[in-house]
Amino acid sequence: MTVASEHQLERFMNRIDSGEKIEANDWMPDDYREALIRLISMHGISEIMGALPEKEWVPKAPTLHRKLAIMAKVQDEMGHGQLLLRVAEDLMEPLGKNRDDIMQDLFSGKLKFHNVFHMEAPTWGDAGIIAWLVDGAAIISQTMMLGTSYGPYGRALKRICAEEVFHAQHGESIIMALAEGTKEQRELLQDSINRWWPSLLMFFGPKSKAETGHTNQDKNMRYKLRTKTNEQLRQEFLTKYVPRIWALGLTIPDESLRFDEADGEWKYAQPDWNEFKRIVTGHGPKSQERLSLRVRSYEMNNWVREALGKSALASEVGSYE
Amino acid sequence: MDSGEYRNCLIELLYQLADDDFILAYRGSEWIGLAPHIEEDVAFSSISQDLMGHATLYYSLLEELGEGQADSLTHNRPPEKFHNAIILELPNGTGTYLENPDYDWGFTVVRNYFYTLAKKIRLDSIKTESYEPLQQIAKKISVEMSYHLMHWETWFNQLMNSTPEARSRMEKAIKLVLENFDGIFSYGELGDQIVKLSLIESEATLKQRWITELQKKEQIDLSMTMNKGNGRNGIHTKHLTTSLATLSEVYQSIPAAEW
C-alpha cells in the first residue's frame, strides 16, 4: 500500500469511527465497496425473489380486501428491490458493471438470495406467516442496519422499514383471522408455523464461523455496515415473537425452546446449518423453480428490452407508482 | 319509468363494469415478477391494484343494491353469471403464472392500452349522466385513468416505433385483440334499455369516440369483431372457468370461514 493510500484509509476509518456517513462518490477502500455490493445486491435481489413465493397467493387471496393488501405488499417488495439495486448499481459503476451483471450473477448462482425465499409456501397460512414472521424478522435486521455507515443504503432502508411495518400488520391480520377461525383454519396455521420455524431461525444467519465455516459479519461490523451480531438479532426476534405465537394458542416445533433467566437469553435447538448452506447455494426445495421463472421472464422479454434500447431501459416507461 | 326495469339495467351495467376490471386485474397480477424490467413490475402491479380497487367499488354498490356480499359475488359466482368482455379473460400467453409462463408483452400492452382508452371513454360518459352513486364512483376512478392511459400509451408508442421485430409482434397483437374487442363496447341483451334509461351513451357513440381517438395516434385498421361470443350475455371461454377457480381456491376451501 502506498503512503498516499494509507493516509486515505486512515482518514476513511476516522470518518467511520466518528459516525460520519460515506456517500457514493467518496473515496472508499476496495473491500468496503465489495462488502457493500455483496450485501446490497443480495438484499435487493432477495426482495425481488421474495415476490415469487407470495405471487402464488396474490390471485388466491380469499377476499377482495386481502387481494388488495397482498398486491400492495408484493408491489412494495418489488419497489424495495428496485431501490436497493439502484444503490448497488451506483457502487458498481466504477467497476464497469450494471444491473445486467447482477441478473447474470443471479442466474449463474454467484449471487445468492435469502434462505426463506427458497422454501415452499403451499397454503394461505404460509402467506400469513411470510408477511408476519419473515417480514417481522426482516424489520429486526433492517432496523439494525439503519445506522449503517453507507448513507445511500441507510436512506433506502428508512423507507423500506416504514413499509415493512405495514406488511407485518397485514400478516398479523391474516394470522389473527386464521387463529380465531375454524378448526381447519387453525390447523392450517399450525402447519405453516411448523414448516417455517427452522427457516426463521436460519434467517439471521449462523452464530459464528463454527456453524458454516464462513461469515462476513466481523468485517461488516468493523466497517459499521451493521451494529449487531446474527445471534443478537435472532434473540430479539425470539423475544418479540415467541410469546405472541404462544399467546395465540399455537405451538413451536422445538421442545427445548425456553427463555433462560440466568443467562438472559433464549435456548433453542440449532437448525441444521448444513441444510442452510445447501439451501442458499441453490439446493432448496424451490430454488431452481423460482430461478427458472426469473430466467424465463428475462428470456421471453428479450425482444422488449431490445426494442427499448439499452439506454432507454427503465427510464422512459415505468415511472408511475 | 318502471323502477324494476331501471334497477335491472343498472345492475347489469354494474356487473359489466365490475367484472371487466376484476378479470383484467387478475390477468395483470399474473405478470408479477415476470414483467420486462423491475420498474415495470412495480408500475404494472400498481395499475392492477387500482383495477382491483375499482372493481371493489362497483361490487360494493352491487352489495348495496341487494345483490349479495361483494366477496361472495367475486368468489362464489359461477362463470356464466360473469359479464366481462371475453377479450379480458383470454390468457397472457401459454403456461400458467407459476409454471412455464410464456407471456406475450405485446398482447398485454395492446389489450391494456385499448381497454384503458375504452374505459376512460365509458367513465366520461357515465360522469355526465347515469345513476348518481355510479357517477360519483366514475369521478373518483377517472383521476387514476390518465396515469394508466399515459403508461400504456407510452409502451404502445415505443414498441410500435422501434425494431422491426417489435413492430411485427405489435401488429400481430393488435389483430389478436381486435378479434374480440367488440365485446368491450357491447352492453349485452339489455343494451337498448340501458341506453334508453340514460345510464350511459350508446355503444356506437362510444366506439366511434374510441376509434377517432386512436386514429389520431396511429393510422391502423381498427375493424373489430367478437369471434368468441359476447361475454355480456354470460358466454365465456374455458379460460374464465380456470381463472375463477384460482381466484376462489382459498375462499371455497373452507366453506363459511371468515378470512
Side-chain angles (χ1 to χ4, degrees):
Chain A
M1 194 180 268
T2 63
V3 178
S5 62
E6 255 178 56
H7 182 65
Q8 272 179 319
L9 181 62
E10 194 188 317
R11 262 190 42 202
F12 177 83
M13 290 313 296
N14 284 341
R15 290 184 67 192
I16 296 265
D17 289 337
S18 67
E20 259 186 70
K21 299 296 176 202
I22 309 301
E23 294 300 328
N25 295 322
D26 294 353
W27 184 88
M28 61 184 83
D30 290 344
D31 63 346
Y32 180 79
R33 183 183 298 277
E34 282 157 19
L36 279 172
I37 293 173
R38 185 174 54 236
L39 184 74
I40 300 169
S41 53
M42 188 218 166
H43 185 179
I45 219 71
S46 293
E47 296 271 4
I48 288 161
M49 294 306 287
L52 298 180
E54 290 198 276
K55 165 197 169 84
E56 190 168 347
W57 294 102
V58 168
K60 295 181 182 178
T63 66
L64 285 164
H65 171 72
R66 296 277 184 235
K67 279 181 164 67
L68 283 166
I70 194 168
M71 281 170 112
K73 176 184 188 307
V74 179
Q75 183 202 344
D76 283 350
E77 308 293 9
M78 270 295 172
H80 299 168
Q82 175 193 337
L83 201 63
L84 292 164
L85 289 193
R86 290 209 168 154
V87 175
E89 280 170 306
D90 285 344
L91 285 160
M92 292 166 82
E93 207 194 335
L95 308 177
K97 291 186 167 185
N98 59 30
R99 190 184 296 184
D100 213 42
D101 296 293
I102 297 182
M103 288 302 168
Q104 294 308 329
D105 283 352
L106 170 71
F107 299 157
S108 72
K110 197 176 150 203
L111 176 60
K112 313 223 175 337
F113 56 99
H114 242 301
N115 72 297
V116 283
F117 303 127
H118 294 258
M119 306 309 288
E120 287 173 300
T123 76
W124 175 244
D126 296 328
I129 291 292
I130 291 174
W132 188 39
L133 297 179
V134 173
D135 282 46
I139 290 171
I140 288 175
S141 75
Q142 287 165 7
T143 304
M144 174 271 293
M145 302 283 271
L146 282 175
T148 181
S149 62
Y150 189 57
Y153 188 37
R155 290 191 290 276
L157 284 170
K158 206 172 155 189
R159 177 172 154 191
I160 292 172
C161 283
E163 291 182 349
E164 294 290 352
V165 172
F166 288 108
H167 301 171
Q169 285 167 355
H170 148 80
E172 199 168 354
S173 160
I174 295 175
I175 296 301
M176 294 303 284
L178 294 175
E180 292 166 0
T182 65
K183 188 169 159 280
E184 291 106 310
Q185 283 175 304
R186 289 184 63 82
E187 282 168 6
L188 193 80
L189 181 56
Q190 183 63 61
D191 279 349
S192 298
I193 290 191
N194 296 350
R195 186 163 38 246
W196 281 87
W197 189 251
S199 301
L200 288 163
L201 289 180
M202 288 174 186
F203 179 89
F204 298 97
K207 190 171 183 175
S208 67
K209 253 184 172 166
E211 281 86 8
T212 56
H214 173 77
T215 160
N216 295 311
Q217 62 177 329
D218 297 342
K219 188 195 280 173
N220 289 353
M221 285 188 72
R222 178 64 196 99
Y223 277 139
K224 290 201 181 163
L225 295 177
R226 59 184 299 165
T227 52
K228 290 176 187 167
T229 65
N230 292 346
E231 186 57 23
Q232 282 173 316
L233 296 171
R234 188 166 22 244
Q235 289 288 331
E236 276 183 35
F237 175 80
L238 295 170
T239 299
K240 185 168 178 188
Y241 288 104
V242 169
R244 296 191 193 187
I245 295 170
W246 282 340
L248 290 172
L250 298 160
T251 60
I252 291 169
D254 175 2
E255 285 178 12
S256 66
L257 180 71
R258 67 186 171 90
F259 188 74
D260 188 306
E261 296 288 347
D263 291 354
E265 64 171 29
W266 290 89
K267 304 289 183 191
Y268 57 90
Q270 287 295 320
D272 182 347
W273 290 109
N274 286 325
E275 178 65 13
F276 173 77
K277 260 170 86 175
R278 275 174 31 80
I279 291 168
V280 294
T281 52
H283 302 94
K286 286 278 183 180
S287 312
Q288 290 312 312
E289 193 181 311
R290 296 216 175 106
L291 263 178
S292 76
L293 212 51
R294 270 237 76 86
V295 174
R296 191 174 259 274
S297 99
Y298 199 78
E299 286 168 354
M300 77 189 180
N301 292 316
N302 248 337
W303 71 273
V304 182
R305 280 192 307 277
E306 265 168 35
L308 292 182
K310 281 200 164 129
S311 62
L313 189 88
S315 61
E316 298 194 32
V317 207
S319 57
Y320 172 59
E321 266 188 60
Chain B
M1 186 198 311
D2 176 352
S3 70
E5 188 194 358
Y6 187 83
R7 192 177 169 280
N8 286 346
C9 287
L10 171 62
I11 285 172
E12 173 56 32
L13 180 63
L14 280 172
Y15 273 121
Q16 295 177 12
L17 297 168
D19 293 344
D20 275 1
D21 280 348
F22 182 64
I23 295 302
L24 193 59
Y26 163 69
R27 286 298 179 209
S29 76
E30 290 188 305
W31 269 98
I32 291 174
L34 302 171
H37 50 67
I38 294 157
E39 281 72 8
E40 178 57 22
D41 225 306
V42 176
F44 191 6
S45 166
S46 167
I47 289 174
S48 300
Q49 254 177 84
D50 286 345
L51 289 187
M52 190 62 82
H54 301 166
T56 303
L57 291 172
Y58 299 127
Y59 288 126
S60 306
L61 201 48
L62 283 164
E63 187 174 316
E64 284 169 28
L65 290 163
E67 283 295 288
Q69 284 192 345
D71 284 330
S72 167
L73 293 178
T74 40
H75 297 85
N76 206 16
R77 189 162 38 119
E80 65 274 16
K81 300 271 184 192
F82 271 74
H83 286 187
N84 60 284
I86 284 181
I87 182 62
L88 305 178
E89 75 200 38
L90 298 181
N92 297 317
T94 60
T96 74
Y97 76 109
L98 296 172
E99 273 171 46
N100 303 322
D102 193 0
Y103 284 179
D104 179 351
W105 186 246
F107 176 71
T108 290
V109 167
V110 174
R111 172 161 68 179
N112 277 283
Y113 178 44
F114 284 9
Y115 173 70
T116 307
L117 183 59
K119 179 173 164 181
K120 186 182 179 297
I121 289 168
R122 197 154 73 180
L123 290 170
D124 285 344
S125 176
I126 289 171
K127 275 194 300 186
T128 52
E129 50 182 25
S130 196
Y131 180 62
E132 217 279 327
L134 176 57
Q135 281 190 313
Q136 292 307 321
I137 291 179
K139 281 176 191 159
K140 204 168 160 184
I141 293 177
S142 289
V143 181
E144 286 163 351
M145 292 317 293
S146 52
Y147 291 107
H148 294 193
L149 196 58
M150 195 166 70
H151 183 87
W152 293 119
E153 193 180 312
T154 309
W155 267 111
F156 184 82
N157 291 338
Q158 284 203 327
L159 295 179
M160 287 293 277
N161 299 296
S162 55
T163 61
E165 187 192 355
R167 178 81 193 191
S168 111
R169 280 174 180 266
M170 289 296 280
E171 281 171 1
K172 231 175 98 192
I174 291 170
K175 208 168 148 265
L176 202 61
V177 170
L178 287 173
E179 275 174 15
N180 283 288
F181 205 74
D182 217 11
I184 293 282
F185 295 104
S186 168
Y187 304 134
E189 284 155 355
L190 292 177
D192 291 345
Q193 288 105 298
I194 288 174
V195 174
K196 201 179 72 199
L197 293 168
S198 293
L199 286 164
I200 192 165
E201 290 165 280
S202 76
E203 295 171 4
T205 307
L206 266 52
K207 196 203 290 193
Q208 192 48 53
R209 262 179 220 154
W210 183 86
I211 290 173
T212 308
E213 203 54 45
L214 261 184
Q215 294 285 13
K216 279 192 223 160
K217 323 264 189 225
E218 193 84 34
Q219 283 303 318
I220 35 176
D221 177 11
L222 294 170
S223 349
M224 59 179 87
T225 51
M226 43 179 147
N227 277 355
K228 292 181 192 292
N230 192 347
R232 308 297 186 208
N233 298 334
I235 293 162
H236 292 288
T237 63
K238 64 177 194 298
H239 303 295
L240 182 67
T241 310
T242 48
S243 302
L244 293 177
T246 301
L247 284 157
S248 60
E249 185 187 299
V250 178
Y251 181 90
Q252 297 196 352
S253 65
I254 306 174
E258 294 284 331
W259 297 97

